[in-house]
Amino acid sequence: MEKLKFLLAGNPNVGKSTIFNHLTGMKQHVGNWPGKTVEQKSGSFEFDNYDIEIIDLPGNYSLTPYSVEEQVSRDAIIHEENDAVINVIDAENIQRNLYLTLQIMETGANTILAVNLLNYAEDAGFKINLKKLEETLGIPIVVVDAREGTGLNELVRATIKAANHPKDCSSRLTYGFELDDHVNEVKGLFPNLKIGSAPDSWTAIKLLEGDDEVIDIAEKSSDKQNLQKVNNIRRHLEGILNDNVDDAFINARYAEIDSIMKICVKKPGAGKKTLTDKIDDIVTNRILGIPIFLIVIYGVFQLTYTIGGPFQDLIDEAFTMLIDSITPILGDGLASSFVLNGVIGGVGSILTFIPIIFILFFLLSLIEDVGYLARAAFVIDRAMYKIMGLSGKAFIPMILGFGCDVTGIMATRTLANESDRISTMLALPFISCSARIPIYALFTAVFFVSNQAEITFGLYILGMIVAIIVARLLKRTAFSEESAPFIMELPPYRLPTLKSAGLHMWERGSLFIKKAGTIILGTSIIVWLLGNLPPGVEEGSVQSIIGMFGNIIAPIFAPLGFGFWQAAVALVFGIMAKEIVVSTFGTLFGVGEDGISTVLPSLFTPLSSLSFMVFTLLYVPCFACLGAIKEESNSWKWMGVCVVTCCVIAYIMAFIVYQGGLLLGFT
């Protein structure tokens, strides 16, 4: 079976990742690009006796490497072996999307254009002559519907055909007489300079633009003595054009796009309001925007617990039945204790929360796919800038932090300046990630049965408020640099598909299951071992190693309402991963009828349980998060600041909740 490799490129929000999900299904792999912390999504599928690997490149507006994502995409197209590049464009935003198309063609890539959302564009009044567009660009064009999955077979066939008959379309591009003439002059100066698969015209353009990477490579070539001539040509060209070369090429590309639009596209008349415009008048309203956002988030939690609760009970009952069935077989002794308490008690206590985690991810995926999350960032931009001094672009890492703070911290590299990056990085650990959901679900199910959604919603809002305050203080003290303006695209609203949301849910939720089978299982075994040593002590007692350790530090937490050793131990091990707080309780108390839910009311009160949840929300993030802060900030100092800040704020807030509650007569 012949193997082919395709790259999938496009602007953000054009349906690129949806197409990727349709083609690859569950055969996906998520990792990082070599030497980068930018996520790489690759997948594979079989089609007409071809084994096809497809790489979903980061969403970019251009290939000018101002960001790591743009650098990754450019490197993949030029330096990675590939048979074709599928460029997905949004038909309704065709003029803007074509800028990336021209840059991909400049690289000499074997390009296929996938036109998505054509029906939306036609409904909005666009008339696109696809045959004329194909002739003008000189590349194959296929109409697809990413949401419905239609046209994808035709797209793959066209891409395979293009892969078997590759062609370089860069020669079809023109930038006007002056630029073309000087590009040809530079080409003649570097006949031996080859950069990946890029044609010499692309290399010449980058040399004229002063591209750092290309110049570094040119300095090591046999033609390096001609770099001074390139500088002279650049200055001469800027004198003729009365403009810098970068802007001259940008203007030339847009001029080319304008001519393409005149030939191939008829735009809708001005003043016509689309359905997206009408909805945005409400959801992005200056007054209504934030209340609507809060209602949406509250609704997500309400649905999560309403739908997930019964499934959680079923899994809990299944573990109870499992314990009841194997207990007589194993009998008493260390082997029985290891299986029942060390393995089932630790991992089983976490796995009961799978329905909650998966449903939460599914609902968040639906909101993202429908196009609302972009509006939420837009709405919160104004508030974030006024209150925090941060651009609304910082809201994107914070939204990602709802899934995993590590992902959010990695996303801070999209922020324009260092002050915004560090401020957002240090605020992110207060955003409640999915790893904390098992803690909330456990305690609210025991102490706040009728108010689970409200308590969880309140904790998420508290985390956001604390994050805002911390970022604001940092911007007023350590970082006073002005934030860069926030510019983002608001995609049209679309009906999400269950398949796409399901794949997103599985992609994120499966990481939770993998963690349960690795980190959480390993930690549960360690907790069990420490709870049974030294030999002869009562299992999980204060005389065990873990009990003695917990007893030493437990008094620290007494003013917060949970000054007993089991809570202290759970919090310490929870620094490895927040889910381990629950698995530690599961190992110490077991699961089933006589497990956690039965023991917790004897240790906590509703007030102290609320204080405990507040503390776990705000205290030290997991090791992976701390490592990400160190890597992204390139400083141990900021990681240390994060640890100290989180511990102090968590202690103060939990103290206020517990002691304030006692003063008000709560228990």
Side-chain angles (χ1 to χ4, degrees), residues 10 85 97 132 138 198 220 334 347 388 426 476 554 598 632 637:
V85 177
N97 286 191
K132 193 69 177 175
K220 300 171 185 176
L334 283 177
V347 178
M388 300 170 66
L426 296 180
R476 290 178 71 94
T598 303
E632 293 298 316
K637 179 183 77 171

Side-chain angles (χ1 to χ4, degrees), residues 554-661:
I556 298 172
F557 303 104
L560 312 184
F562 42 89
F564 46 89
W565 71 266
Q566 295 95 331
V569 166
L571 290 171
V572 170
F573 278 98
I575 298 174
M576 296 180 66
K578 289 296 172 282
E579 301 97 331
I580 291 174
V581 171
V582 173
S583 69
T584 300
F585 283 141
T587 302
L588 295 174
F589 305 143
V591 294
E593 294 179 2
D594 300 321
I596 308 177
S597 59
T598 303
V599 177
L600 285 183
S602 66
L603 299 172
F604 290 92
T605 65
L607 180 59
S608 65
S609 74
L610 183 61
S611 172
F612 186 82
M613 285 188 283
V614 168
F615 191 85
T616 56
L617 162 68
L618 303 173
Y619 90 119
V620 185
C622 66
F623 283 165
C625 183
L626 292 174
I629 291 174
K630 192 270 171 188
E631 287 299 315
E632 293 298 316
S633 67
N634 197 29
S635 169
W636 289 99
K637 179 183 77 171
W638 294 120
M639 191 189 82
V641 169
C642 174
V643 171
V644 173
T645 304
C646 289
C647 286
V648 170
I649 291 175
Y651 198 92
I652 291 172
M653 292 302 298
F655 182 87
I656 291 172
V657 169
Y658 185 68
Q659 297 298 333

Side-chain angles (χ1 to χ4, degrees), residues 331-379:
D332 295 326
L334 283 177
S336 173
S337 172
F338 174 76
V339 173
L340 297 178
N341 297 330
V343 177
I344 298 177
V347 178
S349 60
I350 285 294
L351 293 181
T352 58
F353 298 104
I354 284 178
I356 299 292
I357 298 293
F358 272 64
I359 290 169
L360 177 63
F361 282 144
F362 180 76
L363 294 174
L364 289 176
S365 294
L366 288 179
I367 293 172
E368 183 178 1
D369 289 349
V370 84
Y372 178 71
L373 278 189
R375 271 78 186 174
F378 175 78
V379 164

Side-chain angles (χ1 to χ4, degrees), residues 236-456:
H236 173 69
L237 188 56
E238 288 177 343
I240 294 173
L241 300 174
N242 196 27
D243 198 358
N244 66 58
V245 175
D246 283 20
D247 289 344
F249 277 105
I250 290 171
N251 293 334
R253 292 186 190 104
Y254 278 117
E256 179 75 5
I257 292 169
D258 285 341
S259 67
I260 292 170
M261 293 291 291
K262 288 176 184 176
I263 297 170
C264 308
V265 181
K266 183 179 179 181
K267 293 183 181 180
K272 182 181 177 182
K273 270 201 170 186
T274 64
L275 178 61
T276 291
D277 296 329
K278 294 174 183 176
I279 296 174
D280 279 347
D281 287 343
I282 300 171
V283 300
T284 63
N285 182 276
R286 188 176 294 270
I287 297 172
L288 298 176
I290 290 180
I292 289 173
F293 168 71
L294 295 176
I295 290 169
V296 169
I297 296 299
Y298 172 75
V300 166
F301 292 127
Q302 187 67 53
L303 277 172
T304 296
Y305 285 115
T306 301
I307 299 172
F311 291 102
Q312 185 182 358
D313 292 339
L314 284 174
I315 295 176
D316 196 35
E317 290 175 11
F319 274 111
T320 300
M321 292 173 61
L322 177 63
I323 290 170
D324 290 342
S325 63
I326 66 176
T327 298
I329 300 172
L330 295 174
D332 295 326
L334 283 177
S336 173
S337 172
F338 174 76
V339 173
L340 297 178
N341 297 330
V343 177
I344 298 177
V347 178
S349 60
I350 285 294
L351 293 181
T352 58
F353 298 104
I354 284 178
I356 299 292
I357 298 293
F358 272 64
I359 290 169
L360 177 63
F361 282 144
F362 180 76
L363 294 174
L364 289 176
S365 294
L366 288 179
I367 293 172
E368 183 178 1
D369 289 349
V370 84
Y372 178 71
L373 278 189
R375 271 78 186 174
F378 175 78
V379 164
I380 289 177
D381 173 43
R382 289 187 293 264
M384 287 185 74
Y385 187 79
K386 289 179 180 177
I387 298 172
M388 300 170 66
L390 285 176
S391 158
K393 199 170 186 179
F395 180 68
I396 304 300
M398 289 186 177
I399 282 290
L400 293 173
F402 284 149
C404 177
D405 286 338
V406 175
T407 308
I409 287 164
M410 288 164 55
T412 59
R413 59 176 52 203
T414 62
L415 301 180
N417 57 53
E418 188 73 6
S419 68
D420 280 1
R421 290 185 67 243
I422 301 296
S423 298
T424 305
M425 219 177 285
L426 296 180
L428 259 165
F430 300 110
I431 298 295
S432 193
C433 66
S434 61
R436 294 172 170 97
I437 283 287
I439 303 172
Y440 307 156
L442 172 64
F443 280 87
T444 55
V446 175
F447 296 102
F448 306 99
V449 181
S450 58
N451 303 104
Q452 282 188 280
E454 288 83 356
I455 295 295
T456 304

